[in-house]
Amino acid sequence: MSNQRPDQLRELDVDAEFDRARPILIEASELARGSRGTAERNPHDGRRLYPGSDLRGAKLAKANLCGVTLRGSVLVRADLRSAQLTGCDVLGVDMRDANLSGTDLGGAIYLTQMQVNSAHGDDAAILRAGFSRPSHWSAR
């Protein structure tokens, strides 16, 4: 698709293309997460953690979210300070105003620069190579 002309790209049905790719993205996530353990509930308040969770303002500081599938969840204003997200599927997760200070995002699956940019963080947060630390993130 990237080789198409601009007029062809304008006509592209992005939702239909995503629907076609979705099963492959889910399978790739499952393979990447492998046999990592998954948390079923937020250890701080007992809310369930699953794809599409409404975790607005959730207290997840220092939570081990390794291997958890949060795909499509809402984490607006969530406290994720010093959380572990290795192998956590964050495809389409809304991280606006989430606190990612000290959080290990280095192994998060499907993390995007836009998600990082929409959150708050600091120099202690771990980002994978190729990501830019947003200028609005604070120093330690």
Side-chain angles (χ1 to χ4, degrees):
M1 288 183 206
S2 62
N3 292 329
Q4 292 181 346
R5 295 185 323 268
D7 60 309
Q8 292 172 310
L9 291 174
R10 276 193 297 276
E11 300 299 319
L12 185 65
D13 184 345
V14 175
D15 292 331
E17 293 301 327
F18 179 76
D19 288 343
R20 284 187 342 151
R22 190 172 193 282
I24 297 165
L25 295 171
I26 290 170
E27 183 179 354
S29 171
E30 289 171 2
L31 289 170
R33 287 181 289 112
S35 61
R36 289 188 176 99
T38 59
E40 292 184 15
R41 295 196 179 274
N42 176 346
H44 299 288
D45 65 13
R47 285 198 252 184
R48 293 208 44 200
L49 302 174
Y50 56 89
S53 294
D54 183 351
L55 298 167
R56 289 172 236 242
K59 293 173 178 55
L60 293 164
K62 298 184 182 175
N64 180 353
L65 301 176
C66 295
V68 174
T69 302
L70 293 176
R71 183 182 321 113
S73 295
V74 177
L75 285 166
V76 173
R77 294 183 26 250
D79 181 0
L80 290 158
R81 287 174 296 149
S82 300
Q84 300 295 316
L85 274 71
T86 301
C88 182
D89 183 334
V90 295
L91 180 67
V93 171
D94 186 347
M95 294 185 178
R96 285 176 292 153
D97 294 323
N99 189 340
L100 302 177
S101 298
T103 301
D104 183 352
L105 299 160
I109 300 169
Y110 300 128
L111 181 70
T112 68
Q113 184 69 54
M114 286 179 62
Q115 288 169 310
V116 171
N117 292 349
S118 71
H120 300 283
D122 64 9
D123 290 341
I126 299 169
L127 296 171
R128 185 172 38 245
F131 278 81
S132 298
R133 195 168 304 276
S135 61
H136 67 274
W137 282 23
S138 63
R140 270 182 118 177

